[in-house]
Amino acid sequence: MPDSHPSATKAAAAQRVLGLGVFSPSFRGRDPFLRARPGTTGGAGRGPSAAAKMAAPLVLVLLVAVTVRAVLYRSSLAALISDRVEVASPLNAWKRVVEGLALLDLGVSPYSGDVFHETPLIIYLFHFLVDYAELVFMITDILTAVALYLAIQDYNKVLFKKQKLLIELNKYAPDATELIQTPMEMYYIPLKVALFYLLNPYTVMSCVAKSTCAINNAVIAFFILATIKGSAFLSAIFLAVATYQSLYPLTLFAPALLYLLQRQFIPVKIKNKDFWLYTMQYTGLYLGSLIVIICLSFFLLNSWDFIPSVYGFILSVPDLTPNVGLFWYFFAEMFEHFSLFFVCVFQINVFFYTIPLAVKLKEHPMFFMFVQLAIISIFKSYPTVGDIALYMAFLPLWSHLYQFLRNVFILSCVLIVCSLLFPVLWHLWIYAGSANSNFYYAITLTFNVGQILLISDYFYAYLQREYYLTHGIFLIRKDRTDPMLVLK
Amino acid sequence: MPVAWLEKTMWNLGLEVYKQTFSRTLPFPDELRERYMVKGTNVYGILRAPRGASTESLVLSVPCSPGQQNNQAVGLMLALASYFRGQIYWAKDIIFLVNEHDLIGMEAWLEAYHDVNVTELHSSGMLGRAGAIQAALSLELSSDVITSFDVALEGLNGQLPNLDLVNLFYSFCQKNNLLCTIQGKLQRSDWDSLPAYLHSLQTLLLMVLKQGSGRPQGDHGLFLRYHIEAITLRGINSFRQYKFDMSTMGATLEGMFRKLNNLLERLHQSYFFYLLPSLSRFVSIGVYMPAFGFLILILVLKALDLWMKLSQCDTEADGQACDGEQSPRMVATEEPKPSLLALVPPLLICQATGLALYFVPILGQEMATQHFPVSESEAVVLTAIAIYVGGLALPHNTHRVLMGSGGDRGWMTLKLVALLYLAMQLGCIALVNFSLGFLLAVTLVPVAAIVQPTGPKYLYAVLLVLVTPAATLLFCLFLHGELLEYPISLLEGWQRFLQAIAEGLLDHHLYGSVVFPFVAIFVYPCWLLLWNVLFWK
């Protein structure tokens, strides 16, 4: 009897949940491990002892990461890595920072040439810290990882509470219990996130090349931390700093606002007065701090030169040095008089997805944040591998989607192969002269398509899981055949 | 080398003459060529073009070394220089270069000319320059009459010159009725009979072996790195009746230079990736790459297979509900999900062995000579072999210490990693040096695909040892002997093997050849991973 099996399981699962009633005991019963660790079973997550237990591996990871970076700084690979176009873009190359500092010391505006495109705050930061640059970049990476760690820890607590609430309200389908994340599964996620960020070869290379992308990542990580902690004030400030640094984080405004609203239990409805009030507040804070920072920059250099030189440079893409992005080849090939139109098209691409995603992922702002970060790092005008490392750090957070992912094996192979082929094809093109730019661009294209497919795979997996959670796993059509889930 | 005489003679011919001194201490003594601390001088004369602005130039280079070998080339070059001086049609400067200590001198000159320092050569700066070098010919001549010209193409890391340059020379030789060979093999007049195919195959295999070695097969080989198309022309004097004298050779070279002089831009159309079964036929990248792709596909498919099996294990371990017939086949392990951490020690140990193989022979040579009665170069080679063999005994017990007896999942995951790793590195190297990638792929791929800890273990072990890169090298040396119709004995083979390792190391340190580091740091650890898989239980 083909249909007896699912329905029997369904009945059993329903009994399990309904009979036990409360969420946590059912999991205590299911997982013998949890009883051994009282710190992890409490509804709110972990007590201080658990936090201390987790701190040790985190410190270990930090030590390993620092060692790897310190060794690489001292090796001959450092010079090689910092010249790689995949690691250092015209926006964040260390060479250009040094050039800008030299110009500043000479009393010339650093923006007078076409070399320096950092923001004034960065140049003043390194004006004082240039001798300790290696240290600064190592600390930046560590701060990013710790911020992500704390943020994810907090997010897991919130998620746990939310799950509990939904179970008590009977929002989940009775047979979907196995899809619910257990605290046991969530226990190592913050550590894995920190590990993924710190030991990702992309991050390591970016740090060794002293690409200022690491600083942008740190600001974004702090922004995420502040958002998850529910501090609208800090969140707005960090978002303003991130926007000021690289413009594109502007689109993170939407997920952050959604998250904060959700945390305040304010429903997102047009007619709701609280919603508008809160949105206005947050927007005001954000714009206010943005204006303050920009004015500060103006007073530092006493000129508005940095606006065209930083934001104009980002938006109009005049520098077509090859990189891992999609812009350079396209605009190198294009006739000049079309380029304005296509620059607009390409740039809109980054901002375009925010609205549909905001509608679709209204209830899941954290996932929205992740997708938005990925979109920025794929479609921005001067992407580097450091940007990619930031969103890849979030992949362990979605490890519960693993069973719904379709192509993750092939896609990860594609991404790794492309990363390896970048230097090889660059060598063939630039040094050996036997290949040409098409080879390199083909790999860039494959790399980005791989990333896009990976993100959409995660996106569909997320939606699929949410669907199953509310509708149950064992769906049966009216004609008793296995159903196909079509996502719209 | 008679530097002063050369300078004077070139000066008298009306060239701008410069010299460049260089010195280089080898990482260890080169016993084959008997050199350790190399000091030398390159002399070159520039013929300024009457019709150009000195923005482009051509090079005729001639290696000069003491002894009988290659003793006629300088004379021909000087004669050509004196003739070229009288002509008015030159639009590109022509550099006549006499380089000492063959490749080392060439590298020193090229580095100084382009004002870079990629190896650790010390050389005096360069005073005279002509324009950007468009093409170069290197001439080697050991007798005053020749029967044919042999064209050497393979450069550093298997780089090849533009096929147009080769075609140009070949068709010009045909026009002058000059015999022209490649790999020392004359093209047969028929081409569609079986012996002719075999002949072409021999030529092709010789090319693959030479390219795969990553060594420059002549002084031209170093030009290619600087984006300069170049070939080496080697005068051959065999027992053939009909010989050509110096004037024919000179006319041929003059013709080549006039053709290159007329070029409006660099040679850039045509092919850079090709294999030559004969001078008039070539195999293009579009033909040979798919074949290689299929070889790699074996690894990818096998990896996919393992991945499917692993994820099947996953679901079966998770949902215990599935019927009992399947479970005995999938051996249930004590831990249903051994963490990926168990894979870290073997990976780290294998990589560390590879790094040791790369660094220790050179760094440890002093210690080795103090403790053992061997010369430095022997010490280096023997240390390398010792580490290579020692690596086989090292890593394959760690997981047992860590997690008891390894389950099926353990080796499957390790093999999955090893297969993907191998596929990636073979794919990358095949783009840079196809022949090397092909030689490694043909040997490694089938065995890598079948090896597993169950089944006929000793057969697998023997097969795996037979396809280790070192065994491949030995096999290639014998094959090379066979193809040249000069078979070598076992003892000779062993000596050549030692020599080949020493030269591989020297090539890497002197010119930056990637073959040795690639094998030591990437292929060998990957092979060790497979070895590890075999002895997992």
Side-chain angles (χ1 to χ4, degrees), chain A residues 402 409 421 428 431-434, chain B residues 159 225 227 272-273 307 431:
Chain A
Y402 179 75
F409 176 67
L421 283 180
L428 287 183
Y431 294 99
S434 40
Chain B
Q159 229 184 317
R225 170 157 61 181
H227 222 311
F272 287 95
F273 301 101
W307 174 259
L431 282 172

Side-chain angles (χ1 to χ4, degrees), chain B residues 296-412:
Chain B
I296 297 295
L297 195 66
I298 297 176
L299 293 180
V300 177
L301 287 181
K302 189 71 193 166
L304 257 177
D305 177 42
L306 282 172
W307 174 259
M308 304 289 269
K309 275 185 192 156
L310 281 171
S311 31
Q312 234 170 31
C313 280
D314 257 4
T315 48
E316 276 178 25
D318 279 1
Q320 292 288 328
C322 69
D323 44 356
E325 290 163 28
Q326 293 268 324
S327 37
R329 203 162 55 78
M330 294 289 167
V331 183
T333 52
E334 302 90 293
E335 288 172 286
K337 273 193 174 182
S339 64
L340 286 175
L341 281 180
L343 291 184
V344 174
L347 279 173
L348 278 184
I349 292 174
C350 291
Q351 276 304 328
T353 321
L355 285 175
L357 180 60
Y358 176 66
F359 284 112
V360 172
I362 299 291
L363 296 177
Q365 54 172 323
E366 233 172 85
M367 210 166 73
T369 44
Q370 276 170 9
H371 294 284
F372 299 100
V374 286
S375 73
E376 268 119 338
S377 89
E378 278 172 338
V380 170
V381 174
L382 293 178
T383 320
I385 294 178
I387 293 174
Y388 196 97
V389 177
L392 305 193
L394 248 184
H396 46 265
N397 276 325
T398 46
H399 67 278
R400 276 178 237 172
V401 181
L402 282 174
M403 38 177 271
S405 71
D408 263 1
R409 290 186 58 90
W411 73 259
M412 278 175 158

Side-chain angles (χ1 to χ4, degrees), chain A residues 35-68:
Chain A
R35 261 174 290 175
R37 271 188 209 175
T40 57
T41 46
R46 298 135 201 116
S49 68
K53 228 185 268 170
M54 285 297 283
L58 180 66
V59 170
L60 189 71
V61 169
L62 292 182
L63 281 179
V64 172
V66 169
T67 318
V68 169

Side-chain angles (χ1 to χ4, degrees), chain B residues 252-280:
Chain B
T252 313
L253 283 170
E254 194 236 343
M256 277 303 282
F257 271 90
R258 283 190 68 172
K259 285 169 202 304
L260 293 172
N261 180 52
N262 293 341
L263 281 182
L264 289 182
E265 41 188 304
R266 275 173 194 277
L267 292 166
H268 67 97
Q269 291 295 341
S270 192
Y271 290 87
F272 287 95
F273 301 101
Y274 52 85
L275 293 171
L276 293 180
S278 74
L279 266 173
S280 57

Side-chain angles (χ1 to χ4, degrees), chain A residues 40-221:
Chain A
T40 57
T41 46
R46 298 135 201 116
S49 68
K53 228 185 268 170
M54 285 297 283
L58 180 66
V59 170
L60 189 71
V61 169
L62 292 182
L63 281 179
V64 172
V66 169
T67 318
V68 169
R69 284 163 172 75
V71 167
L72 279 175
Y73 272 131
R74 295 280 160 269
S75 75
S76 56
L77 286 174
L80 197 74
I81 291 174
S82 57
D83 281 341
R84 298 295 318 150
V85 286
E86 297 88 5
V87 182
S89 74
L91 269 181
N92 56 25
W94 179 246
K95 263 185 190 171
R96 296 179 185 244
V97 177
V98 174
E99 175 74 14
L101 283 174
L103 288 176
L104 191 71
D105 286 344
L106 290 173
V108 185
S109 162
Y111 300 103
S112 53
D114 192 32
V115 175
F116 186 74
H117 305 288
E118 300 282 354
T119 51
L121 282 189
I122 287 285
I123 196 168
Y124 272 92
L125 175 72
F126 282 112
H127 189 64
F128 301 108
L129 293 174
V130 69
D131 296 334
Y132 313 102
E134 294 179 357
L135 210 59
V136 170
F137 280 102
M138 281 201 261
I139 292 173
T140 315
D141 268 10
I142 286 171
L143 286 180
T144 314
V146 172
L148 287 177
Y149 177 85
L150 294 175
I152 301 305
Q153 215 171 29
D154 217 59
Y155 172 71
N156 277 343
K157 280 181 203 165
V158 174
L159 188 73
F160 188 81
K161 275 186 201 160
K162 191 174 148 195
Q163 272 188 353
K164 201 175 160 187
L165 186 74
L166 286 175
I167 285 195
E168 278 163 5
L169 292 174
N170 268 336
K171 287 280 166 109
Y172 288 145
D175 61 351
T177 36
E178 60 195 75
L179 291 182
I180 295 168
Q181 281 183 282
T182 62
M184 191 51 213
E185 284 164 6
M186 291 199 237
Y187 186 68
Y188 283 111
I189 287 177
L191 186 68
K192 280 184 192 162
V193 168
L195 187 86
F196 255 59
Y197 186 74
L198 279 177
L199 295 183
N200 189 337
Y202 291 157
T203 325
V204 175
M205 287 204 294
S206 189
C207 178
V208 170
K210 294 191 255 186
S211 149
T212 53
C213 174
I215 293 173
N216 300 354
N217 284 354
V219 174
I220 295 176

Side-chain angles (χ1 to χ4, degrees), chain A residues 5 402 408-410 412-413 416-417 420-421 424-425 427-435 439, chain B residues 159 224-227 272-273 285 300 303-304 307 311 314 321 416 420 424-425 427-428 431-432:
Chain A
H5 168 66
Y402 179 75
V408 68
F409 176 67
I410 294 173
S412 35
C413 285
I416 296 172
V417 167
L420 292 178
L421 283 180
V424 171
L425 291 175
H427 170 86
L428 287 183
W429 172 23
I430 301 295
Y431 294 99
S434 40
F439 288 55
Chain B
Q159 229 184 317
L224 299 175
R225 170 157 61 181
Y226 296 88
H227 222 311
F272 287 95
F273 301 101
I285 182 169
V300 177
L304 257 177
W307 174 259
S311 31
D314 257 4
L416 177 71
L420 290 177
M424 280 165 199
Q425 49 185 248
C428 285
L431 282 172
V432 178

